Each structure stands twice: as structure tokens, then as C-alpha cells.
Amino acid sequence: MTQTQDSIKHWGDMPPEEFHQHARSISAWIAEYLERIASEEPSRVPRVLPNVQPNFLQEKLPASPPMLGEKVEDILRDFENIIVPNTTQWNNPNFHAYFSISASSIGILAEFLIAALNNNSMVWKSGQAATELERLVLSWLAEALGLPRELWGMIFDTASVSTMQALACARERSGFHVRERGLAGRGGDVPQMRVYASELVHSSIDKACITLGLGAENCIKIPVNERLQMQTEALEQAIKRDKEAGYLPIVVVGVVGTTSAGSSDNIHELVAVCERESIWLHVDAAWAGPAAMLEEWRDRFHGWERADSIVINPHKWLFVPIDLSVLYCRTPEVLKEAFSLVPEYLKTTEDGQVENMMDYGIQLGRRFRSLKLWFVMRYFGVEGIKARLREHIALAQLFANLVNDHPDFECTAPVEFALVCFRYKPQHVANGDEVTLERINADLEERINTQGQIFLVHTKLHNVYTLRFAVGNLYTSEAHIRRAFDHILKNT
Ligand SMILES: *Cc1c(COP(=O)(O)O)cnc(C)c1O
């Protein structure tokens, strides 16, 4: 219902008393929503994947904006009736696609406060506590991860952007003054620069090459071994071949916890190659990074403290609401060389004594993201976080055991961290009939996702069509895992 002309003001914001009333009803709504998705009673839990067709929204909402302001109650009613049931529920414990994540309650509360302060920490003077809290909380995180406390870090929105920044650093360090002179039309005085990563690397690396003008074809994919790790020898050969042909190798990307399979490259071997060749080593631990807190998983990270840069996404497996990605970099001065540009209106009297975060990246404006990481680390504590990560890893192992104990299922890769790669392989299908196996697994995935009680996606490993089951939501329990496996069985 549209409000009448005289009931709305044409200036100013909602009165604070009215804000209080709506904030109460919204917090009640959120609590009820969380209570439902966390419910042990499956019939109370909403679908994780909605039953919705493309362009559904056009029929439900007006094409033009309201000319007069509307009531909060009406806006919220449409949110509840049109938005919520028609969007994928990432906070639902039955979400096992991509990487399963959680916006913890403490993180949700922090987001509320971040919006209220509306801080923009472009420079220290425009966000003093935000700038300094970012430094503090990233040294907390480094310490918890077993990295040096002094390791310099910076918060971005996503791993894609963090990685792009790291590659920009490496491009700057190559000494060809790309920042000033660009790459195009230089009459051959700049060699083609090359970036190396395993064939399982995330597409964000290719996108960084595209964005930075390095060219997607200069992102060289190195084959993996049977443990799905980059073959170090093949990497060394590719670098040698490229150097002989006149290319300039600038970056190797090593992954801890690949997106497809959770596998990890042999980081200490990559460190040795990169140190010998003076190549920038970027470690992509966007998802698995928090597991470095667990002593029993530290070997996967062995050597990463010697990498030039590391990316970790606390919005993936550290219970921080999306978005928050951390880039650690051993040489922030190179980031500064690549990006610092200070127009007159951004000069401040403190410039000599403080860190102005705008100097280290492409963005000027920045949200107060460190607040939510600080809240989350304080609320759970490092031990609390570790216990939860271990629980997710144990639940993934439980799922893998159910798969392995069933004659018609198999795991298609070693179980790493909290990710299980598996497939349906009924005994009646002949060994090696990959065409049939791909079809029945694709059909199974489609049937499951159409029903929407659980959500799964697939990948291909060595060309084998594979379903993925990721665990990482704070509400996921043993009962969810057992029900999920039964549900998959029922759909075969
Ligand atoms: C998810 C993921 C990314 C991309 O993360 P965004 O924050 O969505 O850009 C990159 N690398 C790995 C290994 C990932 O799992």
C-alpha cells in the first residue's frame, strides 16, 4: 500500500523511535528464521534451493519505482513473501554446494553495526579505529593461522580481488613500469609475462590475468599428479621453456584446498622453485585457509609463510557474513608502489605517521569489514573456531564413510578438509562406461536439486563427472549428514 502524500515527509530520515520499533521486529524475524533453519525437525526447515524460473520477479514486483514512500511493513512483507522464498538459502545447513558457509549470529550483529556507523576508511583520518582494527585483527588471524604476527594484511571483498591485487604487485615488481606506461603499444620492450597454476586452479586467476592485461593465454595450466597437486617438475620445465622462448615468468599460484577437490599443491616445493627463479608466489587458500589453525592439517600449508602473498576468505570457512577476503603480503611497499596515488583532496596532516589503506589497492572507499572479523574471533575464540572446523571435517568424513560403505557409491578423490568428491556407481554399469556414469550422476544431481531439500554441485576430476559434498555450516549436524545421504540414495 502506498502512503498518502500527507503521511510522508519529504526531508530527513526515519525518526529514531520508529527505527527502534522496526529494528526490533527485524531482529525477531531473523531470530525466527535462524531458529527454523537450525531446527532438528526437517519439515520445519525451508528448502535450500527454491523452485523458481528465470525472470520470475518481473511478474511479482512493479517495473517502476514508487513515487511516494512506502510503509516499512509493506517493504518487509514483500521481502518475506517474494525475496526470501525465491532465493538460494546459503545459511541453510543443508547447503552442500560450492563451499558450505555460515553467517554466524555474531557476524550478523556486526553487519548491523557496520551499516549504522557507515564508516569509509579511505584514509586513517576518515576511519581511525577501522584502519587500526584492521591491522590488529589481521595480526590476530595471522597468529591463529601459525603465520608471523607481523605479516602485513589487508581486507578486500573477495578472493578474486585479493588475487588480482597480488598479481598487480608481481607485475609491478617485474620492473617494466607498467603502472606508468601500460602494456600496449610499447614496440616490444616488454616481454609477455606468464603466470603458472595447476589445472585445478580457480578461475579468478585467469580473470586477474584478463583484468591486468596479461592475457588469459598467458595463464599457463600445469598438470596435476594423482593426488591432484601441481607437478613441480612440469612447472620447472614450463618455466625453463618459456624463458628460452623469451617470456617473463612473474607469478606461480599454489593452492591449498582446490575448489574442485580440496587438494593442496606442494607449497614448500613451489617456494623453492620461486625463490630460485625470483618469481612471485601467491598462495590461494581462499576456502581452506582457516584449517591452518589445526595442527593436524598444518602440513598442507608447509612453507606458505615464505610465499609473497596469501589469500584467505573468512567469509567462506570462518563464519563471517559475506563479504570479507584477506590478502597477506610480505612486501606491502610493492602494493603501495603499484597503487598509491594521492590527489590534493585526500592529503591529511597525519600522512607521515599513519597507514592510509587507499594507498594499497585499487579501491578508495572501503567498508568497515574488520569489525565483523573482530566480533567473530572474540565471540568464538580461537579454540571455539578450531572445534567447529574439526566438527565439519569429522562430518565430511562421516559422509565419506557412508559413501564408501555403500556398494553403489564411491569417493572420486581423497577426502580433504571438509569436502567429499563422490559419485553414484551402480554395480550394473560396466567398469569404465564413463558416458553412462556421467549421465546417471548428472540426472541424480538434477533430481536432488529440483526437490531442493539439499543442494549439491558437480565438478570434473581427470574428466570424471563427480558430485561434491561440502560441509561448513554451523548448524549442520550428524543428523543432517545421515538424512542427506538417505535422500541421495532415495533419488538413485
Ligand atoms: C572461492 C574461491 C575463490 C574465489 O573466491 P571469491 O571470494 O568468490 O572471489 C578463489 N580461490 C579458491 C580456492 C576458492 O575456493
Side-chain angles (χ1 to χ4, degrees):
M1 218 193 326
T2 306
Q3 281 176 274
T4 55
Q5 184 79 43
D6 43 288
S7 72
I8 56 158
K9 294 199 198 108
H10 290 280
W11 45 268
D13 198 6
M14 177 190 290
E17 321 81 75
E18 205 184 307
F19 170 82
H20 192 196
Q21 175 204 328
H22 296 306
R24 279 187 180 176
S25 63
I26 287 178
S27 73
W29 186 90
I30 295 174
E32 205 265 336
Y33 172 77
L34 296 177
E35 197 271 322
R36 263 196 310 140
I37 59 176
S39 169
E40 286 292 321
E41 178 47 58
S43 62
R44 294 196 57 227
V45 182
R47 292 170 62 115
V48 53
L49 258 188
N51 179 14
V52 55
Q53 298 306 313
N55 303 320
F56 77 97
L57 200 67
Q58 288 171 10
E59 290 152 30
K60 297 191 186 281
L61 292 177
S64 299
M67 296 313 285
L68 299 177
E70 296 182 65
K71 285 209 182 91
V72 175
E73 289 77 2
D74 294 336
I75 303 170
L76 290 178
R77 189 175 322 115
D78 285 348
F79 168 75
E80 199 168 343
N81 296 337
I82 301 173
I83 304 299
V84 179
N86 291 310
T87 200
T88 297
Q89 306 287 306
W90 282 73
N91 244 2
N92 185 311
N94 300 301
F95 184 110
H96 300 291
Y98 315 111
F99 285 117
S100 166
I101 65 176
S102 264
S104 58
S105 296
I106 190 73
I108 296 170
L109 295 173
E111 284 283 15
F112 204 8
L113 298 173
I114 291 168
L117 291 184
N118 205 23
N119 195 264
N120 186 345
S121 50
M122 317 178 284
V123 291
W124 180 85
K125 198 167 203 137
S126 73
Q128 300 83 341
T131 302
E132 297 192 15
L133 189 64
E134 183 159 337
R135 185 66 38 247
L136 178 74
V137 77
L138 295 187
S139 71
W140 283 14
L141 180 64
E143 182 179 317
L145 295 169
L147 289 167
R149 271 188 60 82
E150 321 68 60
L151 187 60
W152 186 92
M154 177 166 182
I155 296 176
F156 290 101
D157 53 356
T158 56
S160 303
V161 171
S162 296
T163 291
M164 194 268 288
Q165 297 276 158
L167 266 56
C169 249
R171 192 184 67 172
E172 200 53 31
R173 205 183 57 166
S174 72
F176 287 92
H177 308 289
V178 178
R179 168 191 164 128
E180 291 308 318
R181 303 189 49 209
L183 280 169
R186 290 180 59 172
D189 74 332
V190 190
Q192 280 200 41
M193 299 182 189
R194 288 225 138 144
V195 173
Y196 305 84
S198 97
E199 56 187 310
L200 288 179
V201 80
H202 191 269
S203 55
S204 55
I205 316 299
D206 304 73
K207 285 212 178 172
C209 292
I210 294 169
T211 311
L212 294 169
L214 302 175
E217 67 179 34
N218 289 310
C219 184
I220 305 300
K221 303 292 162 58
I222 307 294
V224 292
N225 63 22
E226 72 290 345
R227 293 179 59 204
L228 304 172
Q229 303 173 302
M230 192 194 307
Q231 294 180 19
T232 309
E233 255 176 48
L235 168 69
E236 290 176 302
Q237 283 160 11
I239 292 173
K240 183 161 179 285
R241 250 194 334 268
D242 279 356
K243 279 166 62 174
E244 284 165 6
Y247 294 102
L248 180 68
I250 60 165
V251 179
V252 171
V253 179
V255 185
V256 180
T258 55
T259 313
S260 274
S263 57
S264 299
D265 293 330
N266 211 321
I267 301 299
H268 69 278
E269 285 184 16
L270 301 185
V271 167
V273 173
C274 289
E275 287 181 352
R276 193 175 66 234
E277 299 279 347
S278 295
I279 298 177
W280 188 282
L281 177 60
H282 177 62
V283 171
D284 180 356
W287 166 61
M293 292 184 196
L294 308 177
E295 295 73 20
E296 66 276 25
W297 290 89
R298 278 264 165 96
D299 62 335
R300 305 296 192 283
F301 299 85
H302 182 46
W304 74 329
E305 69 285 350
R306 284 157 68 195
D308 294 283
S309 54
I310 297 173
V311 60
I312 298 167
N313 276 4
H315 75 229
K316 275 188 172 163
W317 202 14
L318 208 56
F319 322 132
V320 173
I322 194 164
D323 50 12
L324 197 165
S325 173
V326 175
L327 177 68
Y328 283 111
C329 179
R330 282 208 303 172
T331 49
E333 64 279 7
V334 184
L335 265 179
K336 206 167 170 178
E337 274 164 34
F339 289 104
S340 179
L341 190 69
V342 187
E344 197 54 40
Y345 48 83
L346 289 170
K347 291 188 177 146
T348 69
T349 44
E350 293 83 7
D351 282 354
Q353 314 154 45
V354 296
E355 223 173 23
N356 293 323
M357 296 314 284
M358 68 166 187
D359 286 340
Y360 297 89
I362 185 72
Q363 278 178 271
L364 172 62
R366 340 184 47 242
R367 305 181 64 218
F368 193 171
R369 292 193 180 88
S370 57
L371 193 79
K372 52 186 173 173
L373 182 54
W374 186 56
F375 272 37
V376 165
M377 290 190 76
R378 289 186 65 177
Y379 179 76
F380 292 110
V382 175
E383 288 303 330
I385 291 169
K386 287 164 72 173
R388 288 167 174 84
L389 299 178
R390 287 195 170 108
E391 173 70 7
H392 296 158
I393 290 166
L395 291 174
Q397 194 56 57
L398 167 66
F399 185 84
N401 294 344
L402 296 170
V403 165
N404 286 326
D405 290 347
H406 197 288
D408 290 338
F409 282 84
E410 68 175 11
C411 283
T412 46
V415 180
E416 284 287 306
F417 303 107
L419 177 65
V420 183
C421 294
F422 73 106
R423 67 173 174 174
Y424 177 43
K425 189 167 182 289
Q427 286 155 315
H428 62 78
V429 179
N431 247 343
D433 183 357
E434 291 300 327
V435 176
T436 305
L437 287 172
E438 172 159 345
R439 184 177 48 74
I440 61 178
N441 277 280
D443 289 350
L444 175 60
E445 177 185 0
E446 183 59 22
R447 269 197 303 282
I448 289 168
N449 289 342
T450 304
Q451 291 166 55
Q453 274 92 343
I454 66 171
F455 182 23
L456 294 179
V457 295
H458 75 272
T459 188
K460 278 194 174 173
L461 296 176
H462 291 307
N463 241 353
V464 168
Y465 194 96
T466 286
L467 302 175
R468 287 167 76 269
F469 189 89
V471 184
N473 183 278
L474 292 169
Y475 295 130
T476 303
S477 67
E478 185 175 332
H480 288 102
I481 302 292
R482 293 187 186 280
R483 267 201 305 272
F485 188 70
D486 287 345
H487 185 68
I488 294 167
L489 271 186
K490 251 189 260 139
N491 279 284
T492 55

